[in-house]
Amino acid sequence: LAPQPPSRRPLPISPCANYDIREHSGQNRAMRRRLLTIAMLAAAGSCGGEHSPAPLSPAAQRGEALFRAHCAACHSIEDGGNISAPALGGIVGRPAGSSGFAYSAAMRNSGIIWTREKLDRYLAAPREVVPDNEMAFFGMADPAMRSDLVEYLASTRATEP
């Protein structure tokens, strides 16, 4: 067998034997631009917008850990998440006893609008803020822990079940 002369046509980059990418470079650039645009739109849709929560501050992250350790046995953030205690998502700015849970008369009639300051006082001494309340929680003495927990609660939003 005699050796074959080298082909002047470069080897194809694609598995298609007759495809030379250089012949279609304009189409490839346009396709890359389209794919890049689609990928950017998909990333923007999955990483932002009204459905994605904002990243938590370090204090709110610590507060979330405190919530999980001290509150989540009875409370949830999402509405309908727990039946033994009210959901706390979006509590800042909400009137006490107003979220549809079966609150004690003391809580319903307290007249409290939950602010950061009122939450801090309540977490420090619940029975002093709402006497005769039925929640089995005796308070959180550490002001830094209360501050972090309030920061987390303030970062949450009410949700639908």
Side-chain angles (χ1 to χ4, degrees):
L1 259 205
Q4 297 293 323
S7 171
R8 293 184 180 215
R9 188 175 174 118
L11 292 175
I13 296 174
S14 165
C16 284
N18 296 324
Y19 181 81
D20 183 355
I21 195 164
R22 288 180 290 179
E23 292 176 16
H24 305 284
S25 62
Q27 292 172 348
N28 287 332
R29 268 188 238 108
M31 180 61 78
R32 282 193 305 265
R33 273 190 234 114
R34 280 189 217 112
L35 289 174
L36 181 60
T37 301
I38 290 169
M40 290 171 58
L41 290 172
S46 67
C47 295
E50 61 187 74
H51 299 291
S52 294
L56 295 177
S57 69
Q61 289 175 5
R62 292 187 303 269
E64 183 179 23
L66 288 167
F67 180 85
R68 292 180 193 276
H70 297 279
C71 311
C74 299
H75 292 277
S76 68
I77 295 299
E78 296 84 21
D79 289 341
N82 203 326
I83 59 171
S84 65
L88 299 178
I91 192 169
V92 173
R94 187 167 74 196
S98 66
S99 69
F101 181 77
Y103 290 94
S104 67
M107 186 62 79
R108 280 193 316 272
N109 299 324
S110 68
I112 293 172
I113 303 292
W114 292 117
T115 63
R116 290 172 182 255
E117 296 77 20
K118 186 61 85 167
L119 279 168
D120 182 66
R121 279 183 271 168
Y122 183 77
L123 290 169
R127 303 266 189 255
E128 290 177 19
V129 176
V130 183
D132 300 325
N133 184 32
E134 297 175 0
M135 185 170 84
F137 176 68
F138 299 102
M140 184 178 283
D142 185 343
M145 290 173 67
R146 289 194 316 267
S147 176
D148 290 346
L149 183 54
V150 168
E151 184 69 23
Y152 172 65
L153 291 173
S155 74
T156 64
R157 301 287 173 254
T159 59
E160 296 296 320

